[in-house]
Amino acid sequence: MALLPFLLLAISIVSADEDAFIGVNIGTDLSDMPHPTQVVALLKAQQIRHVRLYNADRGLLLALANTGIKVTLSVPNEQLLGIGQSNSTAANWVSQNVVAHYPSTNITTICVGSEVLSTLPNAARVLVNALKFVHSALVASNLDRQIKVSTPLSSSIILDSFPPSQAFFNRSWNPIMVPMLSFLQSTNSIFMLNIYPYYDYMQSNGVIPLDYALFKSLPSNKEAIDANTLLHYSNVFDAMVDAAYFAMAFLNFTNIPVMVTESGWPSKGDSSEPDATLDNANTYNSNLIKHVLSKTGTPKHPGISVSTYIYELYNEDVKPGPLSEKNWGLFDANGVPVYILHLTGSGSVLANDTANQTYCTAKEGADAKMLQAALDWACGPGKVDCSPLLQGKSCYEPDTLPAHATYAFDTYYQKMGKVSGTCDFNGVATITTTNPSHGSCEFSRSDSKNGTFINSTAPALNMTSSGSLGLASSTSSIVLIGVLSWFYTTVYLLTIFWLIFYLLGVLDDDCFALTTLKRVLRGYGSDTLGSKLKMGDRHVEFLVVFDDSSL
């Protein structure tokens, strides 16, 4: 009966400030880290609206500017001692890494260190000071209401985590935990926790079933039951989140929301890690995303889902440790998916498309003249091979301006490695995940990671039309140039022959070359050489006329 007063005390008034979201951690321990603009292009294509950085990488912060993507920055552990011991050092960090980028870059949260209590215990004594100093710098910049400050903790600091109602923090850390929780509560911040059911499962010696760790559906008689609350738990994730709520309540903090800053499952491991597989990783992350976005919440807090950052965006091939440490990513360094998530009906984020299959298409309703000018640019200065758009070729049909523009736009976009800004064309193009291929016209994906274009925007298009060609397609112009080149080459060769024959004394007519050329032209059936190139409803005509009176 002694437990009852505690359970009454543990009733939480936690509420969500916004709808729960799925974010992604971006690690950089890659031998060939993608350019920041490509990272952002991938985030946009996958509709990832929340990211967490493990530092304050300037390149990524600049690339994320004006995207609307919400960014969580981190003070790396190696900078924690300096910031925790000096208010001015903290102020300088905030000035250089936050104020310099906000609000263009939508920074919403600062993580001060990561798993400090379990991985860097010697720095634990300055952790709370570091939190306060960073927050004070935000106050001085009038940003404390826009940006929250917290620190991610390992779930290992929670002892006796099942049943959740009996969970408590490692008491040796109470001198740190109590003032830290007090700070989080007073600043309306969040309790950050890294939850890895994979490790819980691996270390349980068979006590935790694999299906329970993977969010797989369990019959009610297989669910874990908290004997004190009679709450049923169908997965490790929810049990650990509720354990955090109960552990905070044990210290009399009942209104601090939990955010999961890391969770995931490795897709590959060594011989001692048989459950680090593609299928398990796919199952866990797919079910995690669906669980969070379904807003079912946890048994203790039904209807209040916990925002979660998936660990992680890329496989980090140079990360130290066992093979599994290098294989937590959703994508490899080239933006190719490690596996395809099963997310039918789970909203837009990563919606059934982790294959990075993005395409550039003509925007519906775009102005025809601007669309034509953009097509001209792509097939001309943009150096796109538009020959498949010629009559009789694979992408000629349908013979419409938007269809032809889509082919040219996407070819340019793929050629440039899908770099941010290469699918704009003065506002008449847009990125889509729907493959525009049709019939014999196949739109190919680019396997280039960086391409040859590293600037964040494509060159400005020359939208001015001039000369007698008007708005004629650049593809037709390219063919016209080819025909004219053939014609002038013929004239040149005939002139050379005439000169040789003349020098040899063979000629008795100074106009032999012109006469011969005239006969060549008559071989085409007319004294007038004419050609009409057709590319849809856009025509180019040229005439070369020889007057008999001049011969």
Side-chain angles (χ1 to χ4, degrees):
M1 296 298 292
L3 187 61
L4 184 58
F6 166 71
L7 290 177
L8 292 175
L9 179 65
I11 295 175
S12 173
I13 57 173
V14 170
S15 61
D17 290 336
E18 61 175 346
D19 287 342
F21 61 80
I22 284 289
V24 178
N25 288 278
I26 304 177
T28 56
D29 285 338
L30 286 78
S31 58
D32 191 15
M33 180 68 193
H35 190 275
T37 56
Q38 289 185 276
V39 175
V40 172
L42 178 60
L43 296 174
K44 286 181 176 179
Q46 300 301 320
Q47 302 187 52
I48 297 169
R49 307 303 301 165
H50 298 79
V51 297
R52 176 184 170 218
L53 311 182
Y54 285 99
N55 48 31
D57 183 273
R58 184 173 181 272
L60 276 171
L61 288 174
L62 290 173
L64 287 162
N66 303 311
T67 62
I69 295 173
K70 295 184 177 181
V71 181
T72 293
L73 294 183
S74 297
V75 175
N77 283 351
E78 56 266 26
Q79 297 181 29
L80 185 63
L81 281 173
I83 287 176
Q85 293 174 329
S86 169
N87 208 337
S88 62
T89 300
N92 287 337
W93 190 93
V94 169
S95 176
Q96 293 173 12
N97 300 300
V98 180
V99 177
H101 297 280
Y102 188 90
S104 296
T105 303
N106 191 10
I107 300 168
T108 61
T109 317
I110 299 174
C111 295
V112 179
S114 180
E115 299 189 345
V116 174
L117 302 185
S118 52
T119 63
L120 199 64
N122 291 337
R125 58 186 174 82
V126 302
L127 178 58
V128 175
N129 278 345
L131 290 167
K132 291 180 176 179
F133 289 163
V134 170
H135 182 260
S136 294
L138 292 175
V139 171
S141 300
N142 199 29
L143 294 176
D144 55 302
R145 297 196 178 195
Q146 294 92 332
I147 302 174
K148 298 181 185 296
V149 180
S150 188
T151 183
L153 299 175
S154 167
S155 61
S156 64
I157 68 165
I158 301 175
L159 303 182
D160 201 10
S161 58
F162 201 90
S165 61
Q166 294 182 189
F168 58 93
F169 296 116
N170 185 330
R171 289 186 174 88
S172 64
W173 292 121
N174 280 359
I176 306 295
M177 292 300 301
V178 172
M180 186 192 80
L181 292 171
S182 179
F183 166 81
L184 297 179
Q185 182 172 263
S186 66
T187 59
N188 194 32
S189 191
I190 59 240
F191 181 79
M192 294 179 167
L193 191 65
N194 295 342
I195 297 178
Y196 286 102
Y198 171 74
Y199 289 127
D200 293 327
Y201 163 74
M202 289 286 289
Q203 297 163 7
S204 73
N205 295 318
V207 173
I208 295 177
L210 180 60
D211 287 354
Y212 183 66
L214 292 173
F215 282 98
K216 286 190 175 181
S217 297
L218 299 174
S220 57
N221 63 339
K222 296 290 185 180
E223 294 177 342
I225 301 175
D226 185 329
N228 298 313
T229 61
L230 299 182
L231 295 174
H232 288 234
Y233 289 88
S234 60
N235 61 79
V236 173
F237 182 88
D238 282 350
M240 190 58 68
V241 170
D242 279 358
Y245 280 123
F246 277 106
M248 284 192 285
F250 190 83
L251 296 178
N252 296 324
F253 294 94
T254 59
N255 60 349
I256 303 174
V258 171
M259 172 184 286
V260 176
T261 37
E262 293 179 16
S263 193
W265 197 284
S267 60
K268 190 176 183 181
D270 55 33
S271 58
S272 64
E273 302 170 302
D275 294 296
T277 66
L278 285 171
D279 185 58
N280 286 344
N282 192 348
T283 299
Y284 180 81
N285 282 323
S286 296
N287 287 339
L288 171 63
I289 294 170
K290 288 187 282 190
H291 181 69
V292 170
L293 298 182
S294 69
K295 302 179 183 180
T296 56
T298 67
K300 178 172 171 56
H301 292 295
I304 302 178
S305 290
V306 177
S307 294
T308 301
Y309 290 87
I310 294 176
Y311 185 82
E312 58 187 330
L313 186 63
Y314 295 111
N315 277 339
E316 296 184 273
D317 63 317
V318 296
K319 195 160 189 178
L323 185 60
S324 62
E325 282 298 310
K326 308 174 192 295
N327 289 280
W328 290 80
L330 298 173
F331 300 89
D332 68 15
N334 293 317
V336 176
V338 178
Y339 45 84
I340 306 300
L341 292 169
H342 305 309
L343 297 176
T344 302
S346 347
S348 60
V349 63
L350 291 166
N352 298 318
D353 178 34
T354 60
N356 194 22
Q357 292 174 339
T358 57
Y359 305 87
C360 183
T361 63
K363 189 176 291 184
E364 186 176 353
D367 179 80
K369 290 185 178 180
M370 292 186 67
L371 199 59
Q372 178 68 65
L375 172 59
D376 291 347
W377 184 91
C379 293
K383 299 182 179 179
V384 168
D385 177 12
C386 292
S387 59
L389 298 176
L390 293 174
Q391 189 171 20
K393 298 296 184 179
S394 59
C395 293
Y396 172 73
E397 296 289 350
D399 178 22
T400 64
L401 179 58
H404 286 190
T406 290
Y407 177 85
F409 294 172
D410 185 68
T411 302
Y412 179 81
Y413 174 63
Q414 303 293 340
K415 182 179 73 170
M416 304 315 290
K418 306 180 185 179
V419 172
S420 176
T422 58
C423 180
D424 182 73
F425 295 94
N426 281 3
V428 297
T430 186
I431 292 175
T432 181
T433 57
T434 302
N435 189 336
S437 296
H438 52 275
S440 62
C441 185
E442 291 290 334
F443 283 63
S444 61
R445 287 178 54 204
S446 169
D447 292 326
S448 167
K449 182 175 72 67
N450 290 320
T452 58
F453 191 79
I454 61 174
N455 295 317
S456 61
T457 56
L461 306 185
N462 181 359
M463 304 300 279
T464 303
S465 299
S466 61
S468 61
L469 295 183
L471 295 176
S473 164
S474 289
T475 304
S476 295
S477 300
I478 292 170
V479 176
L480 170 60
I481 290 170
V483 174
L484 289 175
S485 296
W486 169 86
F487 174 74
Y488 286 116
T489 299
T490 302
V491 172
Y492 176 77
L493 290 174
L494 286 172
T495 303
I496 294 297
F497 290 152
W498 172 83
L499 180 60
I500 293 172
F501 293 153
Y502 182 80
L503 292 175
L504 293 175
V506 174
L507 301 181
D508 57 2
D509 184 353
D510 289 342
C511 294
F512 174 81
L514 292 177
T515 302
T516 303
L517 180 58
K518 181 179 178 182
R519 288 172 180 171
V520 169
L521 295 178
R522 283 175 175 167
Y524 286 92
S526 174
D527 286 344
T528 299
L529 174 61
S531 179
K532 188 174 187 180
L533 302 179
K534 182 173 187 297
M535 182 178 175
D537 54 359
R538 296 170 293 285
H539 299 79
V540 178
E541 296 184 21
F542 68 91
L543 300 174
V544 179
V545 180
F546 288 87
D547 187 350
D548 281 343
S549 64
S550 67
L551 298 179

